[in-house]
Amino acid sequence: MAAFWQQRGRRQENGGLGSVIDGLGSVFDVLLANARLVLGVSGAAVLAIATLAVKRLIDRATSPRDEGDPKAEQKSLEESWQDLALIKTTPKPPKKQRREDLSEPLLSPAQPLVPGEARYPRGCSAPLGAPQVKSSPLRCLTLQEKLLSHSSQLAVPEIQVSLVPQLARSICTQLQNFLRSKCPELPFGRLFLSGALLDGLEVLAADHIHLMLPVVLDTGLWSLISGEDTVVRNPQHWMIKRIDLGYFPRGCSPWDKFIVGRYLSSNMLNETLHKLLVASINWPAIGGLLGCAIHPVVASRELKLEVKHDQVELSITLFPVVEMEDKVLLAVPPEGLVENLWLESFYRAEVSRVKELDASDSGARQLCLRILNGICRSQPSLHKLGGSAMTHIILHLSDTASDWAEESLADRFQQVLEELVAYLEKGVLPSYFNPKINLFSGLLEEEIDEMGFVLYRALSEPEVLLK
């Protein structure tokens, strides 16, 4: 009887608890059924997972246990922890936005970076080893700075500056010895080198040099006649006339063999020397002795040698030169039928005058000339303007512009361009040493127009010439 009441009491307890569980289950079912409508999809999923975990806990608590199985209790504890972990790791439903939150931006606007400010969050220092970026304000270079920078780029390697004169002097010595042995009757003077590389001017390239061959004349047998008094009407050319043939007939002067129409022919002298250079001198042997290859240029009207060395390629031009009555005359006849003309050279006077002016006022004329010659060298349309023409323009400008300090280089450079354009418009550039001479006389009209067009465009923006 006691056992019966015990079993009945157990059934009543179970029945009461079961009815409660059944009631809770129906409530959960109703909540799950309406959760999607109330909470939305994500909220319903969260509620379902939580409900499942609670049901498992209730089922586990009300299910009969095997009192003799010690693993059953341990298993139920593990499952309970798993269910609690399931509830904790369940993502929280998104917070419902309020009406006032909708007006706020999703992301805060980025704060503008101050130049030079580190790109790290506030309160954090830059990591060790990270490069510190320093702000450098951009600035445009002035014409003065661009000119100085361009001048520094025209530097010639020191090895070439030292090697070229040494090589040219060695060739000069070999040629001098040959002429003395081959033509002992002709009183040639001592050969000497000439050019910017040797005359103290800043050079653009150590790739050419002049070799001057003095022609020694007896002033009692020869006289000069200006080109103005000849058919060419060119004051820059001269003729060397043989005089007093009645008292000193032909043959009294060793140079009489080069006379054409009583005038010393520069063309005949050049032809004779050209044959010697091409056919008589053993240049391969001389080149082997000097460690280079020497080749005379056969097709050129000039007396020219091409020298190839391991470290430099050099062009040497030979000029027979006559010095009389304070004139320096080169055997450079113009193209045409006239072959007795000698060209007056002002190179020595130009170098001396530019150096003298720069020394008197610490000027930058040589620097300006170097930049201008570099521009003419790099611009195909301006090739024929380099050298003497630019020097004479600077000398003309020096008579009116007194400030030639390096700080005024940009102003003087701009002024030289303006003067040059004005001379090209007239088609006349008078020589600084003889105003009767037009240094543009050897240029074609088309060449003058092209040069003027290029330089006129550069007046408003001189920097384009430096590119």
Side-chain angles (χ1 to χ4, degrees), residues 259-373:
I259 289 179
V260 175
R262 296 186 63 178
Y263 297 97
L264 182 62
S265 173
S266 56
N267 194 40
M268 279 190 65
L269 182 58
N270 280 335
E271 288 179 354
T272 301
L273 292 173
H274 189 271
K275 292 177 182 178
L276 293 176
L277 291 178
V278 172
S280 300
I281 303 179
N282 188 357
W283 291 115
I286 296 176
L289 180 64
L290 301 178
C292 60
I294 306 174
H295 302 284
V297 181
V298 179
S300 175
R301 293 180 70 247
E302 297 179 322
L303 306 175
K304 185 173 292 187
L305 300 174
E306 297 292 344
V307 182
K308 292 185 178 181
H309 191 271
D310 292 340
Q311 296 177 323
V312 70
E313 292 188 3
L314 176 64
S315 175
I316 300 178
T317 305
L318 178 65
F319 289 103
V321 56
V322 172
E323 296 189 35
M324 288 182 63
E325 302 177 9
D326 298 329
K327 302 290 188 299
V328 179
L329 307 178
L330 304 180
V332 184
E335 296 183 6
L337 298 178
V338 182
E339 59 181 20
N340 299 333
L341 296 177
W342 293 69
L343 178 69
E344 184 174 6
S345 172
F346 299 101
Y347 177 76
R348 188 183 301 174
E350 294 167 7
V351 173
S352 176
R353 183 58 178 164
V354 170
K355 286 185 175 182
E356 179 185 351
L357 291 173
D358 272 353
S360 63
D361 59 7
S362 301
R365 294 172 184 84
Q366 297 178 67
L367 178 58
C368 186
L369 179 61
R370 170 188 174 85
I371 297 173
L372 291 168
N373 286 336

Side-chain angles (χ1 to χ4, degrees), residues 39-88:
L39 301 177
V41 177
S42 59
V46 173
L47 182 59
I49 295 174
T51 303
L52 179 60
V54 173
K55 279 187 175 183
R56 287 182 181 176
L57 290 173
I58 294 173
D59 292 340
R60 202 173 292 121
T62 57
S63 61
R65 300 179 184 176
D66 296 334
E67 297 179 358
D69 188 3
K71 294 183 179 181
E73 183 176 359
Q74 182 179 0
K75 186 177 180 181
S76 62
L77 291 175
E78 292 176 358
E79 291 176 351
S80 299
W81 284 112
Q82 291 175 2
D83 293 335
L84 290 175
L86 181 63
I87 296 175
K88 288 183 179 181

